[in-house]
Amino acid sequence: EQLLARGIATLRYDKRGAGGWKPAFGRPEDFRFKDYVDDAVALVSYLRGSGRFPHVAVIGHSEGGLVAILTAQRVPVDRLVLLATAARRQGDLLKAQLEKKLSPEALAPIATAIDAIMAGQIVDPPPPGLSIPPAMQPGIASAFTEDPIDPLKKIMTPTLIIAGGRDSQLARLDLLALSAADSAAKTLWLPDMNHVLNDVTDEADNLASYNQPERPLDPDLIEAVAAFIGESEAH
């Protein structure tokens, strides 16, 4: 809505599996992370082929940032925007997040299982606290092991990276690592913004915001993204 108000059209879609798995997606156990990227590439190509949009930007949030990076590696885009995007493999990020919440004793079997899944092994049964059915583990492994840094280094697309100081899921380290991988990228650090792009005051407010979709997004985020896309006259 905020981009539309600034004359920028958007194509938004549910990632496959959101809201339920459809037969058209194939079998759930056959899913691989590249399917997300294939979908994004197809949609960028659709916009390019429509003749209506001479400029196309891709905005990725959280896991979508990784999808956006891999998409920009495969198909030309005019602008790449990464919002609250990790610089680490998802498996490594998950272990770091769990380390903050669990005791070393509770974490140990889960971390071992994550490492095994990332190595291509099947963990059966999975340990308590990691409810990934064995049939789904190869698909999860395909997501856990994707590294955003190497592909980002190879992308020549003008890039904007934005992260927030109240993001309880990521660290400032992720912003710094992404910007180091693309030294030409523009970066913006918003001290009061959380992972779902709202300004929050404390951890209670942060948790509440995840269930309050009506909350406005950080205004500086909106202005930065709109200005960055506008530089390419994207519509």
Side-chain angles (χ1 to χ4, degrees):
E1 292 168 347
Q2 292 291 333
L3 292 176
L4 178 61
R6 291 161 175 77
I8 300 170
T10 60
L11 171 61
R12 301 152 330 273
Y13 65 100
D14 292 332
K15 70 179 183 180
R16 63 169 69 200
W21 195 264
K22 299 178 180 179
F25 299 151
R27 300 190 310 162
E29 57 266 33
D30 292 334
F31 166 80
R32 297 295 182 270
F33 192 79
K34 70 176 185 61
D35 295 332
Y36 286 156
V37 183
D38 290 343
D39 293 341
V41 167
L43 289 168
V44 171
S45 300
Y46 165 77
L47 293 175
R48 291 283 193 199
S50 71
R52 295 178 57 196
F53 306 102
H55 304 282
V56 177
V58 172
I59 303 175
H61 169 250
S62 193
E63 179 185 60
L66 176 58
V67 174
I69 291 169
L70 298 175
T71 298
Q73 192 179 25
R74 286 181 46 188
V75 65
V77 299
D78 296 281
R79 289 288 187 272
L80 174 64
V81 180
L82 304 178
L83 307 177
T85 297
R88 293 166 276 178
R89 299 183 300 172
Q90 290 187 36
D92 295 329
L93 178 62
L94 178 58
K95 288 188 293 182
Q97 292 171 340
L98 292 174
E99 188 176 9
K100 297 179 181 178
K101 301 178 179 180
L102 302 177
S103 67
E105 295 76 18
L107 175 64
I110 297 176
T112 298
I114 291 173
D115 288 339
I117 292 172
M118 292 175 70
Q121 301 171 25
I122 300 298
V123 180
D124 188 10
L130 190 71
S131 56
I132 304 174
M136 303 301 294
Q137 290 177 17
I140 295 296
S142 71
F144 275 3
T145 55
E146 285 285 358
D147 180 11
I149 295 298
D150 284 345
L152 184 59
K153 289 179 178 178
K154 301 171 184 175
I155 293 173
M156 297 294 104
T157 304
T159 300
L160 171 65
I161 306 168
I162 304 180
R166 293 193 181 274
D167 188 333
S168 59
Q169 297 180 235
L170 299 176
R172 191 164 189 169
L173 171 67
D174 290 281
L175 172 71
L176 298 175
L178 290 173
S179 60
D182 183 355
S183 58
K186 295 184 176 181
T187 62
L188 179 61
W189 177 255
L190 299 171
D192 294 324
M193 190 181 78
N194 70 356
H195 191 69
V196 290
L197 314 180
N198 303 135
D199 285 348
V200 295
T201 55
D202 54 30
E203 186 56 22
D205 193 29
N206 174 46
L207 292 174
S209 71
Y210 278 71
N211 295 308
Q212 297 172 342
E214 72 282 359
R215 287 179 70 139
L217 302 184
D218 182 295
D220 292 331
L221 166 86
I222 296 295
E223 293 302 329
V225 172
F228 182 67
I229 292 175
E231 291 174 5
S232 66
E233 298 182 353
H235 301 289

